[in-house]
Every structure is written in structure tokens, then in C-alpha cells.
Amino acid sequence: EAQVTQNPRYLITVTGKKLTVTCSQNMNHEYMSWYRQDPGLGLRQIYYSMNVEVTDKGDVPEGYKVSRKEKRNFPLILESPSPNQTSLYFCASSWTGGWNSPLHFGNGTRLTVT
Amino acid sequence: GNSVTQMEGPVTLSEEAFLTINCTYTATGYPSLFWYVQYPGEGLQLLLKATKADDKGSNKGFEATYRKETTSFHLEKGSVQVSDSAVYFCALSADFGNEKLTFGTGTRLTIIP
């Protein structure tokens, strides 16, 4: 089954404790992206990757890191989480080739930073 | 910059009612327009899309027409069901080379039997 898998689904952590949210897709998509969803703000892009070893900032990259060492994986790293990073995070992927390619989303990771 | 303005929710309707969720956009160039749906506890799924002016996207009884003159992409369904209860997001893509979606804030729809 074609899917984007995120782990964990729920995560509670404390300020400053490094964490990683994993994302994996099995559709051989070249494009992957991370979004955060906050009430009243919709979804905002954090980082994206057009291909292996190619990553770039989205609209809200501060406090986050990503890597793309393999085509299928795109982990999101919070080196020193803060309470304002409490949010619902989504990983997404699609074929490359422009804006006509719909995004496939994972089921989300709800992060709470205390 | 690009932006999407969506009808404020929540919206509550009775089963078989007519649904309209308004969406207007601001973008440079010729964006593609999308409606995504998010069911409880799940990620977003593409519901329908339109890639040029006057295109009509349709799926599962939902429709939306890309109106360039009014910069709108309103979502409609003639007869809603309880299973349509979800959060609906209007979005546009106009950043060639990124494929970034710019989302509206979402509209929560609840259908009462």
C-alpha cells in the first residue's frame, strides 16, 4: 500500500531535549516536505527536499533541521525544542515535475513540549 | 505573497443539505488550486484540484470551479452525508520548483443525521 509513515504519532518532551520525528515513503517520490498545523493558521511549510541531498527552507524553518540521505526518508530534527514548537506535524511527498503533482500526507505527529 | 482565505468555521449542517465552503486566493501567475480533506486522526487527502481558469474539479460528489475573474475556488456538494464530516482545506500551488502548498486555515464541517 502506498503510504507516508511518520513516527511517533504522539510525543511529549521537555524543553531542550533533542528529538527526531521520522518520515518514510514507499512511492519512490522525489519531493518530500514537512508542515506544521496550528489552530487558526492552517498548515505552514517547515522544510522541503526536491531530491536526495537537496533540502531547502520553507516558511517557518527556525528551530528545525532536516536531512535527506536516502530518497525514502526525510527526518525532522528539533535540536533544542521549545514550547512554541508544540504543534501537529505532517510529512508529505509527491512526484517531482511541478505543481501538478498532489501531495500524499502522513497521519501526523502530535508534539507537546513542556 | 501567495495567500488563501477560507470561510470561517465551524459549519454544521443536516444530512442531505447543500454545502458551500468559500475560498478566495491571492497569487502571482497562474496557480493550481486544491481542496484537501482531513478526517479525524488522519493526514490530509487530496479531494479535488483544478489547474487552470474555468476548470472544474470534482470527486465524491464535491465540485469546485477555478474562477480567475473572482479569484475563487468555492467547494460545493449538493447533498452532504454524515461521512463528509471532516476539516476541509483550500490550497494553492504557485511556487514552481518547490511544489509548496499554501493552505487556508481550514473549515470544520459537521453533518448531523
Side-chain angles (χ1 to χ4, degrees), chain A residues 9 31 35 37 40-43 45 48 50 57 59 88 90 94-108, chain B residues 30-32 34 36 38 41-46 49 51 87 89 93-106:
Chain A
R9 288 295 305 273
Y31 178 90
Y35 286 83
Q37 182 181 7
L41 296 176
L43 281 82
Q45 190 186 53
Y48 67 97
M50 297 296 289
K57 297 177 181 178
D59 295 321
L88 180 58
F90 288 99
S94 72
W95 298 109
T96 193
W99 37 261
N100 203 21
S101 169
L103 283 175
H104 296 257
F105 283 82
N107 283 343
Chain B
Y30 302 95
S32 287
F34 306 84
Y36 278 79
Q38 184 180 32
E42 298 183 10
L44 282 73
Q45 305 172 23
L46 178 65
K49 68 175 185 180
T51 57
V87 181
F89 291 91
S93 179
D95 288 325
F96 303 110
N98 177 352
E99 293 195 49
K100 180 181 76 172
L101 289 177
T102 298
F103 285 91
T105 54

Side-chain angles (χ1 to χ4, degrees), chain A residues 16-19 63-65 77-81:
Chain A
K17 185 175 182 181
K18 180 179 178 179
L19 66 90
Y64 304 95
K65 285 175 57 177
I77 303 155
L78 284 71
E79 295 269 3
S80 182

Side-chain angles (χ1 to χ4, degrees), chain B residues 39-40 72 82 113:
Chain B
Y39 298 104
S72 65
V82 171

